Amino acid sequence: MHKLSKIFQPSLIIPKNAIVKNQDITSKSQRLMLEQGLMRQAGNGTFYILPLLQRSVQKAIDLVDHHMQHFAGAEKLTLPILTSADLWRKSGRLETAGGELMSTTDRHGKRQILGPTHEESITALLAAISPVSYRQFPLRLYQISTKFRDEMKPRFGLMRAKEFLMKDLYTFDVGLAEARQTYEVVNEAYRRLFEAVGVPFVKVRGDTGVMGGSTSHEYHFPSEVGEDQLVCCSVCGMGCNQEMFDGEKACERCNNSNIGRQAGIEVGHAFILEDKYSKALGAMFLNQNGKPEALQMGCYGIGITRLIAAGVEVLSSEKEIRWPRALAPFKVCLIPPKKGSKEESLVEPWLHRLEDEVSKLSSVGSEVVVDDRTSLTIGKRLLDAKKTGYPVVVVIGPKAADEGAELFEVHNQTDETQKLLGFSETVKEIERSCS
Amino acid sequence: MHKLSKIFQPSLIIPKNAIVKNQDITSKSQRLMLEQGLMRQAGNGTFYILPLLQRSVQKAIDLVDHHMQHFAGAEKLTLPILTSADLWRKSGRLETAGGELMSTTDRHGKRQILGPTHEESITALLAAISPVSYRQFPLRLYQISTKFRDEMKPRFGLMRAKEFLMKDLYTFDVGLAEARQTYEVVNEAYRRLFEAVGVPFVKVRGDTGVMGGSTSHEYHFPSEVGEDQLVCCSVCGMGCNQEMFDGEKACERCNNSNIGRQAGIEVGHAFILEDKYSKALGAMFLNQNGKPEALQMGCYGIGITRLIAAGVEVLSSEKEIRWPRALAPFKVCLIPPKKGSKEESLVEPWLHRLEDEVSKLSSVGSEVVVDDRTSLTIGKRLLDAKKTGYPVVVVIGPKAADEGAELFEVHNQTDETQKLLGFSETVKEIERSCS
């Protein structure tokens, strides 16, 4: 059983009128996560991910692993963070990516890019084994690792940081038709993944920009904080990034003229890269006639830390965190009575029985935390639990003892209800809320 | 069920007399892992971790997580890779760590160290919340992340790379006695962990060196490739790193004069740092009298990628990989008949039944891979399986069919036995070997 007293969660008290000190706090999710001791700023655009948030990060990693392996048919590997600048020169991106690239030069004078993305690196790996038979493809390889971007002005906390966790998948096919098929498969895996995360999202056409290639789609959480402007048809749902919008007044697909605009936070993207990188770096395969040909590539990214922060941004109120369904650090928080209160000893066995029963639920398991900081009042801990945003908070307090019966105050934070329930009803309500 | 045909494992053929090309291949584990498509070199001291080895890395991470959380009572977090050079200046290590530090300078001219270890970073975090009550301690915080060291001459593959995966744990206590108690707890967790890994190890006294502090122990896998010289008593087991040995002829603990020397590969270390970093960076607590005092620190590292490479180095023959018990990519490899062979259709149902039964074993689960590359002969695939080092290899081939009965060739690579067994004996033998 996890106990809150054992979890390092240093809250940050931000005075309401501390305008100068708050200049770095540019989003609600950032402020709430700082206040609740989920993260701390380390430098300009760099953050400590503290233990409660680390659990959320681990859940996001597990969820992405599952969807990549089971629905996108992808294999996991690790590409080094340090990538030779020579490769970036060959692909032409040393110039186009420009100032956002961070680099280090080793003792032998070799310049290494701190990878913001790894098209060059993975293509060089494929080039090193080239050319292999067309039978070896499709190939879908992904990693989850730290990426770097020298933001001029990092902002919105984990949403636009200099150092962030990202999933990047690269696919290799023998032809453009096959690459498009792969594109469908991966986008379908993305749809499932974002539905599992539990935050409303939209998929829109995007610009291929510096990445290159022909086709691109972006996944966004609609939010006022979002830096992208999206243009979406209210009838068929077709949409695109504003920068792709040609200024026409009607939907290009269904001709409906009711076109809406909204801001969005980009949490995922997909590109068909064609042979831009494979040609430049020599990643070839042998076709059915034994002739070498350049591979057709795709790349697909999801910002892991951004996904969490964006989800919290969209779902939370100004005062309380609300987590995406799949990413809460714990699903259930139990609050026992204050130390020395008259009900303390009476309800203790009920608490233990509830802990036991709830932990046995397959939908809950080890996702229970007890707020055992019993030197604090129930009221203080309840406020804190609501602010941290555990989906279900159960108070085992005076109300239970007053009635002389086993009664629990069950706060469901997702639908914002509050019920006073007996033991077995409480277990059922928790099971219902968590599954 | 995992199929080998779906796993990206590009083998590297290294000509035996390619002396010039092989100059970078400086250890057996490196050569075998390159040949078997488990990794590839990316740059000087940087490597691609390919899917089979990635599974091994994931197992090592899970094993370390388990031992840190359950036996060392530690919490997981993430510290940023980029650490302000100012912090390193304050601790005095910007000079002492010298040329091995890699760094990058951002657009605002701020120099950031690519953390080789994170004493400065975590102490700055504790300083940011200082001073908190003595009641908040002990505090034990760890991460598993990529570390960087600008090796003049990277060598031995993953054992001495420029970029590597490391677990680093930092502990904070209110007094030296408490820090020593923490030291005992963590060292005991290390003992359990290394026993679970399954490679013979020794624990010896080490030098505190540039790290600072008073007490240090190292964990080594004895091996000729090891770069450290260890001095160990053959009676009581007491040992120390050669650099700590005062040149006496007898054991300092039991006075035995039979002192042996051996080379070792360092896979873990433990330090009591005292208040070197907490004083320099201002990480304080409030003692029982409400007065601020510097925290007493410990730090504890385990190289994750090095642990795997060192284990493979110690256990393997020149020709075949042998994995540490806990870290094999798969526990069982099944080899069905060649495509088009006369026994192919006869034994197919047996293969499926075996896959099913073995997957149901709690000691095996999803740890089975089928070598479905049935265009290759059984002999070729058996050689390959032995070289890759799966602990158990089961051949479902002509011998089974010749007898007309369900007979399986079970190769146990750990004790190098080979048996011809019926169905249920095969399942039992696999269960025995894997648990």
Side-chain angles (χ1 to χ4, degrees), chain B residues 159-171:
Chain B
M159 281 189 276
R160 195 168 277 282
K162 272 190 178 171
E163 182 179 336
F164 52 98
L165 200 61
M166 191 169 113
K167 183 282 297 177
D168 42 333
L169 163 69
Y170 305 93
T171 64

Side-chain angles (χ1 to χ4, degrees), chain A residues 6-8 10 40 42 44 46-51 54 58 65 75-82 87 99-100 102-108 112 114 120-122 124-126 128-129 139 141 146 148 150-154 162-163, chain B residues 6-8 10 40 42 44 46-51 54 58 65 75-82 87 99-100 102-108 112 114 120-122 124-126 128-129 139 141 146 148 150-154 162-163:
Chain A
K6 301 283 180 200
I7 294 175
F8 181 62
R40 280 272 173 157
N44 182 25
T46 61
F47 295 90
Y48 299 105
I49 308 286
L50 301 181
Q54 181 71 39
Q58 190 58 55
D65 275 342
E75 299 178 75
K76 193 170 188 176
L77 44 54
T78 306
L79 309 168
I81 286 171
L82 301 177
L87 291 177
E100 289 196 349
M102 304 196 81
S103 69
T104 184
T105 301
D106 71 15
R107 288 205 263 196
H108 300 291
Q112 309 279 336
L114 302 183
E120 284 79 1
S121 175
I122 191 115
L125 172 62
L126 267 289
I129 65 168
L139 208 50
L141 302 166
T146 307
F148 298 84
D150 194 357
E151 293 284 354
M152 202 62 188
K153 197 181 167 191
K162 271 190 178 170
E163 182 179 336
Chain B
K6 301 284 180 199
I7 295 176
F8 181 61
R40 281 273 173 153
N44 182 24
T46 59
F47 295 90
Y48 300 104
I49 308 287
L50 302 181
Q54 181 72 38
Q58 190 58 55
D65 276 341
E75 299 178 76
K76 193 169 188 176
L77 44 55
T78 306
L79 309 169
I81 286 171
L82 301 177
L87 291 176
E100 288 196 350
M102 305 196 82
S103 69
T104 184
T105 301
D106 70 14
R107 286 204 263 195
H108 300 291
Q112 309 279 336
L114 303 182
E120 284 79 0
S121 174
I122 191 119
L125 172 61
L126 268 288
I129 64 167
L139 207 48
L141 302 166
T146 307
F148 298 84
D150 195 358
E151 294 283 354
M152 201 63 186
K153 198 181 166 193
K162 272 190 178 171
E163 182 179 336

Side-chain angles (χ1 to χ4, degrees), chain B residues 184-196:
Chain B
E184 293 307 314
V185 170
V186 178
N187 275 281
E188 174 58 15
Y190 268 31
R191 186 191 62 72
R192 282 173 180 268
L193 170 63
F194 286 115
E195 283 187 354

Side-chain angles (χ1 to χ4, degrees), chain B residues 317-332:
Chain B
S317 72
E318 286 296 327
K319 289 189 169 171
E320 295 180 351
I321 292 176
R322 289 296 175 267
W323 295 92
R325 189 173 56 228
L327 305 179
F330 288 99
K331 289 181 176 176
V332 180

Side-chain angles (χ1 to χ4, degrees), chain A residues 235-427:
Chain A
V235 173
C236 75
M238 191 290 301
C240 64
N241 197 308
Q242 167 90 49
E243 53 190 16
M244 292 287 288
F245 191 62
D246 56 10
E248 283 171 37
K249 296 286 182 291
C251 169
E252 62 170 21
R253 191 158 71 189
C254 73
N255 208 30
N256 162 49
S257 62
N258 191 356
I259 284 178
R261 280 152 203 275
Q262 59 189 336
I265 307 168
E266 188 190 310
V267 287
H269 67 227
F271 293 92
I272 294 183
L273 298 172
E274 300 189 347
D275 60 7
K276 168 174 172 173
Y277 299 91
S278 52
K279 259 194 175 157
L281 297 165
M284 315 293 276
F285 72 99
L286 290 179
N287 67 18
Q288 300 202 26
N289 303 319
K291 293 268 184 296
E293 266 185 60
L295 285 159
Q296 296 290 331
M297 286 177 61
C299 81
Y300 306 84
I302 289 177
I304 303 283
T305 33
R306 178 185 283 197
L307 179 74
I308 297 169
V312 167
E313 185 70 32
V314 171
L315 301 176
S316 301
S317 72
E318 285 296 326
K319 290 189 169 171
E320 295 180 351
I321 292 176
R322 290 296 174 268
W323 296 92
R325 189 173 57 231
L327 306 179
F330 289 99
K331 289 182 177 178
V332 180
C333 175
L334 306 182
I335 303 181
K338 188 169 193 296
K339 197 173 186 170
S341 64
K342 62 182 195 303
E343 60 271 14
E344 188 186 12
S345 58
L346 177 66
V347 305
E348 204 183 320
W350 306 349
L351 168 68
H352 291 304
R353 206 148 56 86
L354 189 63
E355 280 179 28
D356 274 6
E357 285 296 312
V358 171
S359 301
K360 278 182 206 150
L361 297 174
S362 65
S363 60
V364 180
S366 61
E367 296 294 322
V368 186
V369 68
V370 177
D371 190 344
D372 62 334
R373 301 172 302 166
T374 51
S375 58
L376 303 175
T377 63
I378 284 186
K380 169 88 179 77
R381 283 177 289 152
L382 181 58
L383 272 178
D384 201 46
K386 288 187 163 229
K387 195 166 180 189
T388 308
Y390 306 108
V392 183
V393 181
V394 182
V395 176
I396 307 148
K399 279 182 193 152
D402 275 358
E403 311 283 333
E406 293 174 315
L407 283 179
F408 303 91
E409 213 180 288
V410 183
H411 299 258
N412 183 322
Q413 309 233 62
T414 310
D415 57 18
E416 308 226 315
T417 60
Q418 179 182 338
K419 295 172 188 169
L420 200 62
L421 300 172
F423 186 86
S424 57
E425 284 71 35
T426 298
V427 175

Side-chain angles (χ1 to χ4, degrees), chain B residues 183-348:
Chain B
Y183 194 75
E184 293 307 314
V185 170
V186 178
N187 275 281
E188 174 58 15
Y190 268 31
R191 186 191 62 72
R192 282 173 180 268
L193 170 63
F194 286 115
E195 283 187 354
V197 167
V199 177
F201 68 95
V202 294
K203 175 187 173 186
V204 301
R205 275 190 301 122
D207 189 7
T208 52
V210 68
M211 199 64 82
S214 56
T215 305
S216 160
H217 284 88
E218 301 167 355
Y219 292 79
H220 288 265
F221 290 166
S223 161
E224 284 165 24
V225 171
E227 295 182 280
D228 288 277
Q229 289 301 314
L230 313 178
V231 182
C232 294
C233 170
S234 63
V235 173
C236 75
M238 194 290 301
C240 64
N241 196 309
Q242 167 89 48
E243 52 189 17
M244 292 286 289
F245 191 59
D246 57 9
E248 284 171 35
K249 296 285 184 290
C251 169
E252 61 170 21
R253 187 157 74 188
C254 73
N255 210 29
N256 161 49
S257 62
N258 191 357
I259 284 178
R261 279 153 204 276
Q262 59 189 333
I265 307 168
E266 189 190 311
V267 286
H269 67 225
F271 293 93
I272 294 182
L273 298 172
E274 300 189 346
D275 60 7
K276 170 175 171 172
Y277 299 90
S278 51
K279 259 195 176 155
L281 297 165
M284 316 291 277
F285 71 99
L286 290 179
N287 68 17
Q288 299 201 25
N289 304 319
K291 293 267 184 295
E293 265 186 60
L295 285 158
Q296 296 289 330
M297 286 176 61
C299 81
Y300 306 84
I302 290 177
I304 303 282
T305 33
R306 178 185 282 195
L307 178 75
I308 296 168
V312 167
E313 185 70 34
V314 170
L315 300 176
S316 300
S317 72
E318 286 296 327
K319 289 189 169 171
E320 295 180 351
I321 292 176
R322 289 296 175 267
W323 295 92
R325 189 173 56 228
L327 305 179
F330 288 99
K331 289 181 176 176
V332 180
C333 175
L334 306 182
I335 303 180
K338 189 170 191 296
K339 198 174 184 167
S341 65
K342 62 183 193 305
E343 59 272 15
E344 188 187 12
S345 58
L346 177 66
V347 306
E348 203 183 319

